[in-house]
């Protein structure tokens, strides 16, 4: 049986905060996803802890003490102080196995809670995407491609460490200029066509832009603007301009519920609110949950680049 689309039964017994169409829940997503009714959600849009452990409580403590751990302080080559970034390349073999297992188990739960045909948009990075997407497929999701978010990051492009002068014409790896987002889907029931899936579950396809053009898989993006960072102080805050395009595409008929299991400061839910869609987020770290409670309505109220406004999509 497919549950109704009201968010109320999804709160269960967790501390939660509702605003507009949306609901923020202070919960571990693994636990919450195993407890709610099956097939409750239409889409997932999320930015998970890529290195799995960078959001463990001990690592967050090291980050706030400036003590490192998996968080590294980028070099200050132009007089500006930069925020710590997680070191994905620092994962050893054992941690990679753990990471894979994390995403296999998570995908099984995503298959449980999504309606058939429900899409998953999941942020990744160029080091780990092949492993993460493979694990998601192993967990039961169908790979449907990638969204390339064009954005210049600070990673990569450096000369070999401690031999910079010797190998002046060499970079260890390319300068990062994009962020890959996995696009996956809960498989449609055998023999079911997309049109049938849309009729029965309101899922299966992607919403076109208001112009009638299809959603495209390369999106010119930007680093998260300062105005958004001032509202939501989270190390992995994603920009509203990008997220609003993603959430708009995620519900093919413009109806249903979008879930962000790793909500952080609530940027995905804010994008849903801005686009007049229903969003639900879970966050297990109390400090980030508290930030999200305050930030979502303020992020949603921001006007961003014209092309991301609801009527102009
Ligand atoms: C990469 S950040 C997402 C940040 C978000 N994109 C934003 O704009 O604020 C991942 C978040 O997932 C949270 N997290 C990690 N494991 C979790 C779990 N099992 N359940 C719920 N939240 C979790 C972390 O505390 C962190 O805030």
């Amino acid at each position: 049986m497919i549950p109704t689309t009201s968010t109320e039964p999804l709160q269960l017994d967790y501390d939660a905060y509702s605003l507009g169409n949306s609901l923020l829940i202070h919960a571990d997503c693994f636990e919450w996803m195993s407890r709610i009714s099956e097939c409750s959600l239409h889409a997932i849009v999320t930015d998970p802890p890529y290195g799995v452990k960078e959001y463990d409580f001990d690592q967050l403590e090291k980050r706030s003490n400036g003590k490192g751990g998996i968080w590294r302080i980028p070099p200050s080559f132009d007089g500006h102080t930069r925020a710590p970034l997680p070191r994905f390349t620092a994962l050893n073999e054992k941690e990679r196995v753990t990471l894979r297992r994390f995403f296999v188990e998570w995908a099984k739960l995503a298959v449980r809670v999504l309606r058939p045909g429900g899409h998953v948009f999941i942020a990744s990075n160029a080091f780990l995407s092949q492993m993460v997407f493979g694990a998601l497929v192993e967990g039961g999701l169908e790979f449907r491609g990638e969204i390339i978010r064009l954005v210049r990051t600070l990673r990569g492009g450096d000369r070999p460490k401690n031999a910079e002068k010797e190998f002046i014409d060499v970079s260890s790896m390319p300068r990062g200029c994009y962020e890959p987002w996995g696009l996956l889907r809960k498989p449609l029931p055998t023999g079911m066509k997309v049109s049938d899936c849309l009729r029965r579950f309101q899922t299966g396809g992607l919403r076109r832009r208001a112009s009638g053009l299809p959603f495209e898989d390369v999106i010119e993006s930007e680093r998260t603007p300062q105005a958004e960072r001032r509202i939501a102080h989270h190390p992995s805050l994603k920009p509203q301009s990008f997220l609003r395009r993603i959430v708009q595409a995620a519900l093919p008929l413009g109806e249903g519920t979008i879930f962000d299991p790793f909500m952080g400061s609530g940027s995905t839910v804010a994008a849903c609110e801005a686009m007049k869609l229903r969003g639900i987020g879970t966050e297990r770290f109390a400090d980030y949950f508290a930030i999200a409670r305050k930030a979502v309505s303020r992020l949603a109220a921001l006007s961003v680049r014209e092309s991301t406004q609801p009527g102009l999509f």
Side-chain angles (χ1 to χ4, degrees), residues 25-33 45-50 52 54-57 60 71 86 88 102 106 123 181 224 232-240 243 259-268 281-289 291-292 299:
I25 304 173
H26 184 203
D28 181 296
C29 67
F30 284 81
E31 186 183 299
W32 186 82
M33 290 163 88
V45 175
T46 198
D47 168 26
Y50 312 113
V52 179
E54 77 268 26
Y55 288 99
D56 282 354
F57 298 120
L60 284 172
W71 293 89
F88 305 114
F102 177 93
W106 183 84
W181 280 62
T224 306
H233 188 60
H234 190 291
S236 308
L237 186 70
K238 299 287 176 195
Q240 287 296 297
L243 287 174
F259 173 48
D260 184 351
F262 304 104
M263 170 175 73
S265 53
S267 54
T268 305
T282 51
E283 169 60 46
R284 76 170 182 184
F285 190 48
D287 291 6
Y288 292 148
F289 180 70
I291 292 178
L299 288 173

